Amino acid sequence: MARQKVQIRDHGFEASLFWRRALFCLLVVLLCFGGLVANLYHLQVVEYQNYQVRSNDNRIKLVPVAPNRGIIYDRNGVVLAENRPVFSLEVVPEQVKSWDQPLADLKALLGIDDDTLADFRESLKGVRRFKKVPLLEEMSEQQVALFSVNQYRFPGFSVEARLKRYYPYGDALTHVLGYVSRINDKDLQDLAEKDQLSNYAATHEIGKLGVERYYEDTLHGQVGYMEVEVNNRGRAVRTLRFEPPVPGKDLTLNIDLNLQLKAQQLLEGRRGAIVAIDPNDGGVLAMASAPSYDPNLFVKGISSKEYNKLLHSPDRPLINRATQGRYPPASTVKPFLALVGLEEDKITPATKVWDPGYFQLPGLEHKWRDWKRWGHGWVDLKRAIAESCDTYFYTLAVDLGIDKIHDWMSLFGFGQFSGIDIHEESSGVMPSPRWKERRFRQPWYTGDTIPIGIGQSYWTVTPVQLATATTIMANAGTYHTPRILRATGSKSGTLALPPEDKPAVVASPLHWQEVENAMHRVVAHPTGSGHKAFEGALYSAAGKTGTAQVVNIAQDERYDAHKVAERHRDNAMYIGYAPFEAPKIVVTVALENIIGGGGSIAAPLARQMMDYYLIDEGAANERQP
């Protein structure tokens, strides 16, 4: 039997080992506890400020509040553009996991059409996923009710109430007011470049055209903010602070709504433009372009089908013909050329030119025809303007030369932007040898100058340019820049804007008088080209008719408006002002492709505009208490 070994224990060593281990554990515990205390000190004391801010960021949310857009009035205080409360269905993209099923359910529930859904899917591209995107604008009460009871099925979607732009007079003022529409990527880029992105944090629309675009900064206002406390699900539980938005300023325009509606009525069924200006300050009383379109379509979100219909219409309703339509000025420029002829001593009021019915350069067989085939005979300045003798002005144009014509006509604003306060404007063309060389790589010939004398060839103008030049004529040289805006609202009331002037066109007072008397003869004398249109008027007036060829007619051909294509018919033009002694209104009319001339078609429209402003509306205003 083996003997069991007896282990000898070193109690002193074991005790020493125990205490070393216990001490080690204690040190570890103390180190851990010290680390916790140090970290607690770091978090609670050293980083207190930082973590307090981060905590508030999680707890507190800043909600931008859109400012109310300024209202637009006409000169008599009639509202032309206002804000109306509407309900819209909006969605935060980051809160929607998939789109197909919710959109299909909403389509069935609210009756949303396919075009609206397609436009919505397109609008999702490139937007910030945390910003609300409108799906359905201007919901009916029934749609709001249906969605409200089913909202639990559509997380991320909500019905929002906000103000929407509305234009009560529809297409009558589209080319003046323009419209607002949804902010797109280009708008965001422009706002970022101007460092205004934060000011549009809660805004969905921005001015796109016309006054709405030109005065966007004035109309928009300053964004406000609401500081709210949110729960762990991001929902607001209470409002901590409210910084109210600053509403945009109201605008009062020079536009006279009744006169504008009159112009729109006169243009109904035609293509063209009518511009009326107060010659005393350059205020635009009316500016109509036809055909037009309803701007409210763009505010609520025009469908692709409707937009393509406007875009591809042969009548081009999207073009503002008053400021972008480029027309040969035709004989309406003859008074201006006559003034230059007098100033440059090429003619006197008594200078007479023989008109056999055509003009011919020595050595050339080509004949530049007068509108009167058998000619006017001997004509002086008054007869040449009153009866619109082409041969007289062919001769004068050659005597002046294109350089002098170009320099003088530029003083009247031809070939230049008028400076009217909307961005949609064309400068037209005031040709010169340098312009032709740059445009066609060809030299200028004397034959190019001859039709310039009757406002044809390369010379093109816009109706607002013609109206501005006529204002200068009516003011004997004073140049008022055409202005749509009359005043802006302010806290202290309405601040009227002074007219903006450019350097005056300097010419002899006698020469101004000679030309103005000739323009008066256009409507006052029985042989004047505008006499029939103004026969029996209760006021005196001055004007000039014009009929512009759209296509060239060969030497051996005769123009017959009934036998040419509708788009090849002449344009009818008219410029005029009244009363002759103290002008209160300047009117320009431009009509495309008509049967007739400026005297028979355009002048009667100008007469109706003047009658309405000087007699009908003037009498109504006097009757008001």
Side-chain angles (χ1 to χ4, degrees):
M1 180 176 178
R3 296 182 60 187
Q4 186 175 8
K5 289 183 179 179
V6 176
Q7 291 185 345
I8 301 174
R9 302 183 60 180
D10 186 345
H11 293 284
F13 175 79
E14 288 181 352
S16 175
L17 180 62
F18 171 77
W19 284 111
R20 286 201 299 274
R21 288 178 175 174
L23 182 61
F24 176 77
C25 291
L26 179 62
L27 287 174
V28 171
V29 170
L30 288 175
L31 283 174
C32 292
F33 186 74
L36 288 174
V37 172
N39 191 45
L40 185 63
Y41 176 82
H42 179 76
L43 294 175
Q44 294 291 332
V45 179
V46 178
E47 295 290 340
Y48 168 78
Q49 194 66 33
N50 180 33
Y51 284 103
Q52 185 186 40
V53 172
R54 293 172 66 176
S55 175
N56 284 338
D57 284 347
N58 291 332
R59 182 178 64 90
I60 299 172
K61 187 176 179 182
L62 284 178
V63 179
V65 181
N68 291 340
R69 197 172 180 84
I71 308 298
I72 302 177
Y73 301 91
D74 89 331
R75 61 167 45 215
N76 299 313
V78 180
V79 175
L80 304 180
E82 60 183 330
N83 304 315
R84 287 187 172 182
V86 295
F87 294 98
S88 61
L89 180 61
E90 300 183 0
V91 59
V92 180
E94 66 179 1
Q95 297 179 8
V96 179
K97 295 180 181 177
S98 65
W99 291 104
D100 292 341
Q101 190 60 46
L103 292 182
D105 293 343
L106 285 170
K107 177 183 177 182
L109 180 67
L110 305 178
I112 304 174
D113 59 53
D114 291 336
D115 286 343
T116 302
L117 289 176
D119 291 340
F120 170 71
R121 286 184 180 277
E122 189 68 26
S123 66
L124 286 175
K125 297 177 181 176
V127 299
R128 299 182 178 186
R129 292 185 57 77
F130 58 85
K131 286 198 70 174
K132 288 186 176 180
V133 180
L135 165 59
L136 187 61
E137 306 273 4
E138 299 186 30
M139 299 174 72
S140 65
E141 293 182 0
Q142 185 180 12
Q143 287 175 320
V144 172
L146 281 171
F147 179 80
S148 298
V149 297
N150 289 277
Q151 186 170 1
Y152 70 93
R153 296 167 50 197
F154 304 100
F157 290 84
S158 61
V159 173
E160 302 291 336
R162 55 193 173 90
L163 296 175
K164 195 85 173 174
R165 205 59 157 174
Y166 180 70
Y167 303 98
Y169 295 95
D171 63 357
L173 286 151
T174 305
H175 293 295
V176 177
L177 300 179
Y179 56 81
V180 299
S181 191
R182 193 175 300 173
I183 295 175
N184 58 28
D185 292 344
K186 185 177 182 307
D187 298 324
L188 290 174
Q189 184 180 347
D190 293 342
L191 291 171
E193 290 174 356
K194 292 189 289 186
D195 197 23
Q196 293 185 354
L197 206 53
S198 60
N199 197 31
Y200 283 77
T203 305
H204 296 273
E205 290 94 15
I206 193 170
K208 297 286 187 178
L209 288 176
V211 169
E212 293 276 24
R213 180 186 174 201
Y214 195 90
Y215 292 105
E216 170 64 28
D217 293 344
T218 306
L219 287 165
H220 179 263
Q222 289 292 319
V223 66
Y225 287 95
M226 189 164 57
E227 196 175 272
V228 297
E229 186 176 17
V230 296
N231 59 18
N232 60 342
R233 302 184 68 177
R235 292 189 175 181
V237 292
R238 64 172 174 148
T239 301
L240 302 176
R241 192 165 67 89
F242 179 62
E243 185 72 29
V246 178
K249 291 181 179 178
D250 297 340
L251 300 184
T252 300
L253 306 186
N254 280 308
I255 294 291
D256 182 321
L257 175 63
N258 293 329
L259 193 65
Q260 176 76 18
L261 294 175
K262 182 69 177 178
Q264 198 71 13
Q265 175 202 341
L266 294 173
L267 287 173
E268 191 171 355
R270 310 173 191 265
R271 294 188 300 275
I274 296 178
V275 177
I277 289 180
D278 183 344
N280 297 298
D281 58 10
V284 178
L285 301 170
M287 190 173 74
S289 174
S292 186
Y293 57 94
D294 187 355
N296 294 302
L297 292 173
F298 287 85
V299 179
K300 70 179 184 181
I302 190 170
S303 67
S304 300
K305 182 179 178 181
E306 291 171 323
Y307 182 69
N308 284 328
K309 186 178 177 182
L310 290 174
L311 187 64
H312 299 297
S313 168
D315 292 333
R316 305 180 72 184
L318 295 175
I319 298 294
N320 182 355
R321 285 172 162 80
T323 57
Q324 295 175 305
R326 293 186 291 185
Y327 303 94
S331 297
T332 58
V333 296
K334 288 175 178 174
F336 305 99
L337 289 169
L339 180 73
V340 179
L342 292 170
E343 280 295 301
E344 294 292 335
D345 294 326
K346 297 297 182 184
I347 57 172
T348 69
T351 299
K352 291 188 177 181
V353 172
W354 173 253
D355 173 24
Y358 59 87
F359 173 83
Q360 203 168 15
L361 282 173
L364 290 181
E365 293 185 0
H366 184 87
K367 294 180 180 178
W368 282 267
R369 291 174 295 193
D370 196 288
W371 68 267
K372 199 172 186 179
R373 283 187 298 141
W374 50 90
H376 294 80
W378 287 103
V379 291
D380 59 10
L381 184 144
K382 284 184 179 177
R383 272 196 69 198
I385 292 179
E387 299 178 21
S388 200
C389 175
D390 292 338
T391 303
Y392 184 95
F393 288 96
Y394 289 145
T395 309
L396 179 58
V398 173
D399 290 345
L400 285 169
I402 187 60
D403 290 330
K404 279 192 171 59
I405 293 175
H406 173 270
D407 293 346
W408 271 96
M409 292 303 106
S410 297
L411 297 178
F412 282 96
F414 293 116
Q416 301 172 11
F417 295 106
S418 70
I420 190 171
D421 42 351
I422 57 174
H423 291 297
E424 303 78 47
E425 185 181 15
S426 168
S427 63
V429 174
M430 184 62 245
S432 66
R434 191 167 52 184
W435 172 85
K436 187 181 178 186
E437 177 63 33
R438 192 170 57 244
R439 177 71 175 80
F440 296 108
R441 304 292 182 192
Q442 293 178 3
W444 187 272
Y445 301 104
T446 303
D448 295 326
T449 306
I450 295 169
I452 293 294
I454 60 167
Q456 292 275 178
S457 183
Y458 305 113
W459 193 351
T460 60
V461 300
T462 65
V464 77
Q465 273 182 341
L466 268 180
T468 304
T470 309
T471 298
I472 298 171
M473 183 65 74
N475 288 328
T478 301
Y479 194 135
H480 292 312
T481 301
R483 306 302 293 175
I484 296 174
L485 180 64
R486 184 179 182 84
T488 57
S490 65
K491 288 184 178 179
S492 58
T494 300
L495 176 64
L497 299 179
E500 293 187 13
D501 296 340
K502 289 185 179 180
V505 180
V506 179
S508 165
L510 289 176
H511 294 162
W512 286 111
Q513 190 174 356
E514 286 291 343
V515 176
E516 288 186 55
N517 287 339
M519 291 180 70
H520 178 53
R521 189 182 173 96
V522 170
V523 298
H525 196 272
T527 61
S529 57
H531 178 70
K532 286 186 178 178
F534 282 84
E535 195 169 15
L538 299 179
Y539 50 85
S540 58
K544 185 67 192 81
T545 59
T547 303
Q549 284 185 349
V550 175
V551 294
N552 290 326
I553 304 296
Q555 285 272 292
D556 55 348
E557 287 183 347
R558 290 184 59 188
Y559 172 76
D560 186 342
H562 297 280
K563 293 182 179 178
V564 299
E566 190 267 345
R567 299 280 170 166
H568 293 170
R569 291 172 182 164
D570 292 344
N571 294 339
M573 314 289 289
Y574 184 80
I575 61 171
Y577 55 90
F580 174 64
E581 299 80 6
K584 294 181 179 178
I585 183 173
V586 165
V587 176
T588 294
V589 178
L591 302 174
E592 298 177 12
N593 311 125
I594 49 81
I595 296 177
S600 61
I601 305 297
L605 268 57
R607 160 79 185 273
Q608 292 186 62
M609 289 287 289
M610 293 178 182
D611 282 355
Y612 189 83
Y613 187 71
L614 298 175
I615 301 173
D616 301 341
E617 193 175 47
N621 291 335
E622 288 180 1
R623 286 194 297 272
Q624 289 181 357

